[in-house]
Amino acid sequence: MLTALILSVLAMTVIVGVRYLAVSGMFAWLTDRRLPGLYADRGGQIRKEIGWSLASAFIYAAPAGILAWGWQTHGWTRIYSDVTEHPLWWLPASVLVYLLLHDTWFYWTHRLMHRPSVYKRMHTVHHASRNPTAWAAMSFHPWESITGAILVPALVLLIPIHYGALLAVLLIMTIMGVTNHMGWELFPNWLVRGPAGRWLITASHHQRHHEKYLCNFGLYFRFWDRLCGTDRGLGEFSAVRSQPLPRS
Ligand SMILES: [Zn+2]
Ligand SMILES: [Zn+2]
């Protein structure tokens, strides 16, 4: 039993670590294609971002690995595999509910981490990347990683979700975590600066958090920032304007 549990945690560590390296690596490669040289002088920063992120991979994997083992052997969790077990509308609704709850958790824990006494202990590692790169997605101090690692495992114990919907949540979480730190805007202007963009968070919004610190705390949605008066709009990417031409 203990061996199976340890193997589950180790397997999950490999999955989370490889997922991070693959997705961050893919968007770093894309960055190099779109904006050659954007990360050129940031080798030292990137090495630190990768180191902290791989340490975070283990912290994220531990509760996930324990739960995956408990799900398979003891039927823990509300993850279901038969789509007819709940109404079909719950498939997309569960994705939205998970994202909204994750966003709420992130907003308030993130605000707490910006209180001076907590900031020093938990959040300076992440903000060491003043101008983050695609490798900064999981660049957190272990204390901050713990706050990030516990929410989704807690939710799967409480709120039913089909495993396909859970994969969708994890995919959105991974892609937004990477692209929000990439240093340029992936999404089109009509979306980012249009009506939907008033409620959605992409790189333009999170970049401003890394520049100005005490604003734009949200993760996926601008709802809490707007409600609490911490939304300072969208940032600009000077590097994008000064180096607009892709490599020939
Ligand atoms: Zn960040
Ligand atoms: Zn912060």
Side-chain angles (χ1 to χ4, degrees):
M1 178 186 118
L2 189 64
T3 312
L5 183 59
I6 291 168
L7 282 177
S8 180
V9 171
L10 285 177
M12 201 60 84
T13 304
V14 172
I15 290 169
V16 177
V18 169
R19 180 192 67 171
Y20 158 74
L21 290 172
V23 178
S24 285
M26 186 181 81
F27 281 104
W29 174 82
L30 190 64
T31 301
D32 192 49
R33 301 292 300 167
R34 290 283 300 269
L35 300 155
L38 184 65
Y39 299 164
D41 56 347
R42 285 187 252 168
Q45 176 188 323
I46 287 173
R47 275 191 290 281
K48 282 185 194 151
E49 289 172 349
I50 293 174
W52 286 114
S53 294
L54 289 177
S56 295
F58 173 72
I59 294 170
Y60 272 78
I66 293 168
L67 273 191
W69 170 82
W71 177 42
Q72 290 302 318
T73 56
H74 297 293
W76 296 351
T77 85
R78 309 287 309 272
I79 300 169
Y80 61 97
S81 47
D82 178 359
V83 282
T84 60
E85 208 173 296
H86 291 275
L88 274 183
W89 59 261
W90 179 244
L91 281 177
S94 61
V95 173
L96 194 62
V97 167
Y98 268 63
L99 293 179
L100 283 167
L101 290 172
H102 189 199
D103 184 69
T104 301
W105 171 259
F106 183 90
Y107 178 86
W108 289 104
T109 53
H110 192 187
R111 271 192 75 167
L112 180 72
M113 283 189 284
H114 275 270
R115 293 179 79 93
S117 56
V118 187
Y119 182 82
K120 274 197 207 121
R121 259 173 271 149
M122 294 179 74
H123 201 40
T124 44
V125 166
H126 188 63
H127 279 278
S129 301
R130 183 100 201 267
N131 214 348
T133 75
W135 297 103
M138 293 174 72
S139 181
F140 305 126
H141 186 279
W143 286 121
E144 177 169 2
S145 295
I146 290 170
T147 70
I150 57 176
L151 186 78
V152 173
L155 291 180
V156 299
L157 288 172
L158 300 171
I159 302 174
I161 188 162
H162 185 267
Y163 71 84
L166 181 60
L167 283 176
V169 170
L170 295 174
L171 189 69
I172 292 168
M173 189 195 300
T174 306
I175 289 181
M176 296 318 290
V178 175
T179 59
N180 281 354
H181 293 98
M182 206 160 47
W184 54 282
E185 184 57 74
L186 175 72
F187 294 97
N189 233 355
W190 62 261
L191 179 71
V192 175
R193 291 170 195 275
R198 289 172 55 79
W199 301 102
L200 298 175
I201 288 175
T202 63
S204 303
H205 192 265
H206 193 62
Q207 181 80 7
R208 180 150 284 186
H209 175 69
H210 278 264
E211 286 163 10
K212 301 205 180 297
Y213 300 87
L214 294 173
C215 63
N216 295 15
F217 294 105
L219 178 61
Y220 305 117
F221 308 108
R222 292 169 72 173
F223 172 75
W224 283 111
D225 273 310
R226 286 177 169 276
L227 194 71
C228 300
T230 53
D231 197 294
R232 297 284 181 279
L234 305 180
E236 299 285 341
F237 293 105
S238 53
V240 175
R241 287 201 308 274
S242 61
Q243 302 177 5
L245 295 174
R247 190 153 50 194
S248 59

